[in-house]
Amino acid sequence: MSTTAPAVTGSPATPPVSAPPRAGRAWHARRAAGLLACVGLVLVLAVLGIGIGAKSIAPGDVVHALLTRDPRSDDWIVVRTSRLPRSLFGIVIGASLGLAGALMQALTRNPLADPGLLGVNAGAAAAVAGSTALLDLDSFSAYVWAALLGAAVAAAAVYLLGTRGRSRATPVRLALAGTAVSAVLTAVVNGLILLDPLTLNRFRFWQIGTLAGQSGSVLVRLLPFLGAGALLAALLARPLNAIALGEDTARSLGAHPGRTQFATMAAITLLCGAATAAVGPIAFVGLAVPHLARLITGPDQRWLLPYSAVLAAALLLAADIVGRVVLANEELEAGVVTAFLGAPLFIALVRRKRIAQL
Amino acid sequence: MTSSTTPARPAAGPAARHRRLPIGALRLPGPGRTLSVRWDPRATAVGALLALAAAAVGVWTLTTGDFHVPVSDVLKVLAGEHVPGADYIVGELRLPRLLTALLVGAALGLSGALFQTIARNPLGSPDVIGFTVGSATGALVTILVLGAGAASVAVGSVIGCAVTSAAVWLLAWRGGAAGYRLILVGIGVSSLLTAANSYLIARASFNDAQSAQVWLTGSLNGRGWEHVWTMVATLAVLGPAAVLLGRPLRMLEMGEDTAAALGVPVRRVTSGALAVGVGLTALSTAVAGPVPFVALVAPQVVRRLTRATGPNLLASTVMGALLLSLSDIAAQRMLAPTQLPVGVLTGVVGGCYLVWVLARQWRSGQG
């Protein structure tokens, strides 16, 4: 968040806490190596996630099933039809939420920004409930557009409300604006699902946020939206770095703050709206991961964004695995696990003196 | 330059309007300490008008509906006479529901006034800082996990609310819990509990999920005399405690240090008000579900109407009763014959009100 970067460098074994003022070639090489290590972590978690479940499959057999084609083998069927899509969903959705969280924190310069807290999830949820209850839509491709629209409207409402007046949007303001807008939307959703029992039955499973039971075809239809969002995020790294120096400085460096802010909102909406439409609202991933990534990379968006994406994918995969092993006969959905992991982090952030005083 | 631009009124203004009525009979121990009641003509008038409005809503609720009952018959039923037809409709259906709405609304308004005073922030009301979600979690666990009956739902709700409030309070405590930290911690805790509630609902059977979801929205459908008596007992115990706390709470509004210098036992008053507020929130949630925003809105609207400083406990109580009974009758009639749970209406209207309050506050450059 802060643009002042103290050059705290530890021994060569431990990475520096934040970016030195001038990042040299060696620094970049270390970041790249770290990023590769994180990608490796994601792959390991994906293989583990494919192996763990009601039918345990050894990692070696998982790799074998992934690399060969053997429709007669039980392992192959389980891996290819259910476990592999699930892990791919974890990677794609996690990366999208991590990117969206990092973009949101950069845009609002707000350490508490998160799609769940800022009403984007509630907007998507209200639109999904509305389209299933009123229009009787039941397929992903039908309500992804509704979810995108709902997410965009809610995000814009929270942002406009939070930035009202002369002073900028403080963390407290945005959290409150998000709470207020979410409260209205939640009440609307409650009304809709109570008027129509069928909608309640669909909605209550969607509402907790789970990676279970997803099909590969939904993933294919999801990719254009998430790909466009991710591409936009990649293009935004430099302009967001410039804006972090302050809007006036950014302008004098040739950046366009207004255009950048609009594009960032569009990217956040694409990433969160499509992800939420597919797997339901998953809170706190977008909040937690950019903080973790910032400890490694410092404030440079060119590194922060890819690190956030990869680490968030790892976190969501891990949450999904934890949810499968923590209870004896049942599954705890990934959305519940991330809420239980993320809320303590949020509270720790709030308790830090700097934010509490804002 | 002085009066039009500065929002703060001159210090002598409100004090001069209040008459002090010394009550000689209630002489407290200690030299020269009498219990006196502040009497603000404007606040009294507002309170009386709100009570009248609530009575009008009551008459409307009892007489109209699918089956019209004339006022004379209603009065006869209230007096205990036997009127064929009206007996059941008024005495068993409409009256207990109306009384439940009035009493739950009163409890919510009162608890909102208490919480907002001790948090010294209008947003410190139990529905924003997660206490209602916590008592809902407690109740959901008793209904869906333990499969217990109506009486234990209240116990679960009270336990859930008490645990949540203790957790929020302790987590927000850093040499004092006042201000935005309390509210942000509350928002964090309530999003955690919301996830837990969604999980419980998804795990339940469809019928259980449906009734739990109705309850979770905040509803007064089918409330009977047992709910009325629960609320009467709640208010009979906790109402007088709140009245006793009113005076030291007013002094707390000047800041903890000033109040302590004036002899207010700050810790005891704060924890007492917290306990009373938790009890009111928990029992009204047990009876009607987590009805959103009444606790937030009632003290706020009262403050605008009376323009009085202080917790405005009595007027907030009456306002809560009026708001909930009015919302309930509106929710029943808006989409007739479909009956919306009252929480949908208070959620939408109260949420819009909160958005408006925030927008207004921030445009004028506060907060």
Side-chain angles (χ1 to χ4, degrees):
Chain A
M1 288 288 97
S2 76
T3 49
T4 52
V8 185
T9 334
S11 64
T14 56
V17 175
S18 48
R22 281 186 157 210
R25 180 173 285 181
W27 188 83
H28 280 299
R30 271 209 304 254
R31 292 291 155 280
L35 194 59
L36 272 179
C38 292
V39 172
L41 176 69
V42 169
L43 290 179
V44 169
L45 284 169
V47 170
L48 272 179
I50 292 173
I52 293 171
K55 176 178 172 26
S56 289
I57 305 169
D61 295 341
V62 170
V63 174
H64 179 76
L66 287 177
L67 298 179
T68 57
R69 180 180 164 79
D70 183 10
R72 277 167 305 167
S73 137
D74 287 348
D75 284 355
W76 192 87
I77 294 169
V78 170
V79 166
R80 283 298 180 94
T81 58
S82 121
R83 302 274 177 82
L84 179 64
R86 184 169 182 162
S87 284
L88 290 177
F89 257 94
I91 294 171
V92 171
I93 301 287
S96 307
L97 292 175
L99 273 181
L103 287 174
M104 210 169 220
Q105 289 176 12
L107 173 72
T108 60
R109 292 202 232 155
N110 181 336
L112 302 182
D114 169 76
L117 292 166
L118 296 197
V120 178
N121 284 350
V128 167
S131 58
T132 39
L134 304 176
L135 308 175
D136 204 27
L137 301 178
D138 191 21
S139 68
F140 168 74
S141 51
Y143 61 58
V144 67
W145 292 103
L148 284 178
L149 186 70
V153 170
V158 170
Y159 191 67
L160 287 178
L161 180 61
T163 51
R164 229 176 130 83
R166 258 172 293 171
S167 62
R168 71 186 179 84
T170 61
V172 171
R173 275 190 175 202
L174 281 173
L176 283 175
T179 305
V181 171
S182 300
V184 179
L185 292 168
T186 308
V188 171
V189 168
N190 282 338
L192 287 171
I193 62 181
L194 288 175
L195 292 179
D196 178 10
L198 262 181
T199 307
L200 167 66
N201 214 20
R202 285 180 207 152
F203 192 79
R204 68 183 175 130
F205 296 112
W206 179 84
Q207 195 180 23
I208 24 177
T210 177
L211 301 176
Q214 302 286 357
S215 75
S217 63
V218 169
L219 186 66
V220 173
R221 273 176 288 172
L222 191 63
L223 282 176
F225 297 101
L226 299 181
L231 187 67
L232 209 48
L235 296 175
L236 282 165
R238 271 170 191 281
L240 282 174
N241 271 346
I243 285 186
L245 303 171
E247 292 202 357
D248 293 338
T249 319
R251 251 188 222 102
S252 62
L253 288 172
H256 305 273
R259 215 185 286 171
T260 306
Q261 282 168 352
F262 180 78
T264 311
M265 290 285 281
I268 292 168
T269 307
L270 278 170
L271 292 166
C272 290
T276 306
V279 301
I282 290 185
F284 289 118
V285 173
L287 173 82
V289 167
H291 284 281
L292 199 63
R294 213 170 284 117
L295 287 178
I296 305 170
T297 66
D300 186 347
Q301 299 291 334
R302 286 172 301 170
W303 285 108
L304 185 59
L305 288 173
Y307 262 94
S308 296
V310 177
L311 285 174
L315 176 68
L316 195 54
L317 284 176
D320 193 36
I321 295 173
V322 167
R324 269 182 273 171
V325 294
V326 74
L327 291 185
N329 296 319
E330 283 185 78
E331 257 184 39
L332 209 54
E333 281 75 5
V336 179
V337 177
T338 60
F340 275 82
L341 294 175
L345 178 97
F346 175 81
I347 290 165
L349 286 173
V350 167
R351 279 176 62 85
R352 281 202 325 211
K353 212 170 178 182
R354 194 166 60 82
I355 297 163
Q357 280 176 345
L358 280 170
Chain B
M1 172 74 203
T2 49
S3 62
S4 60
T5 51
T6 49
R9 245 176 272 112
R17 290 211 323 271
H18 301 135
R19 322 271 144 75
R20 292 174 75 85
L21 300 178
I23 303 173
L26 281 173
R27 216 164 254 290
L28 297 179
R33 290 172 74 183
T34 48
L35 181 66
S36 62
V37 180
R38 276 165 46 107
W39 185 67
D40 180 343
R42 186 178 170 109
T44 313
V46 166
L49 279 177
L50 291 176
L52 268 182
V57 170
V59 172
W60 180 31
T61 308
L62 293 178
T63 54
T64 61
D66 288 340
F67 188 87
H68 179 78
V69 181
V71 179
S72 56
D73 283 3
V74 169
L75 288 175
K76 277 182 202 156
V77 172
L78 291 182
E81 281 178 46
H82 178 67
V83 186
D87 255 5
Y88 179 72
I89 288 176
V90 174
E92 294 300 317
L93 296 181
R94 292 185 191 163
L95 187 59
R97 181 173 185 157
L98 170 72
L99 289 176
T100 310
L102 289 170
L103 293 167
V104 167
L108 289 174
L110 182 56
S111 76
L114 288 171
F115 280 122
Q116 292 179 19
T117 309
I118 49 180
R120 270 186 282 149
N121 191 313
L123 298 162
S125 83
D127 33 13
V128 177
I129 54 180
F131 294 1
T132 17
V133 191
S135 59
T137 308
L140 279 183
V141 169
T142 30
I143 302 172
L144 299 177
V145 181
L146 307 175
S152 11
V153 173
V155 178
S157 173
V158 172
I159 293 174
C161 190
V163 171
T164 310
S165 58
V168 169
W169 210 257
L170 288 175
L171 288 169
W173 191 269
R174 273 182 64 134
Y180 277 114
R181 193 169 51 240
L182 176 71
I183 292 152
L184 288 175
V185 167
I187 289 176
V189 169
S190 61
S191 59
L192 174 70
L193 292 171
T194 308
N197 288 354
S198 306
Y199 174 75
L200 288 172
I201 293 234
R203 278 289 166 279
S205 73
F206 179 63
N207 282 337
D208 282 356
Q210 201 171 12
S211 52
Q213 183 71 46
V214 172
W215 182 85
L216 202 56
T217 310
S219 168
L220 291 164
N221 288 349
R223 295 304 186 267
W225 285 106
E226 70 273 22
H227 299 106
V228 175
W229 296 127
T230 309
M231 289 316 295
V232 167
T234 306
L235 285 168
V237 174
L238 297 176
V243 171
L244 284 179
L245 287 165
R247 203 174 139 92
L249 277 178
R250 180 186 297 277
M251 297 173 93
L252 262 184
E253 289 217 323
M254 293 185 286
E256 288 182 5
D257 294 340
T258 317
L262 289 170
V264 175
V266 174
R267 278 276 170 87
R268 249 190 298 159
V269 169
T270 312
S271 40
L274 196 62
V276 172
V278 164
L280 290 167
T281 306
L283 286 159
S284 47
T285 306
V287 164
V291 180
F293 285 117
V294 174
L296 172 82
V297 170
Q300 290 295 298
V301 175
V302 161
R303 189 170 280 249
R304 282 169 207 279
L305 290 177
T306 60
R307 298 188 198 149
T309 57
N312 287 315
L313 294 181
L314 187 64
S316 302
T317 310
V318 183
M319 184 53 130
L322 170 64
L323 279 180
L324 193 59
S325 53
L326 188 62
S327 305
D328 190 40
I329 189 74
Q332 288 180 60
R333 300 289 158 79
M334 250 174 25
L335 293 181
T338 313
Q339 296 210 349
L340 276 179
V342 66
V344 171
L345 194 73
T346 62
V348 172
V349 175
C352 291
Y353 176 81
L354 178 59
V355 168
W356 179 78
V357 166
L358 293 175
R360 228 178 90 107
Q361 205 176 5
W362 292 339
R363 192 174 54 169
S364 61
Q366 299 165 353

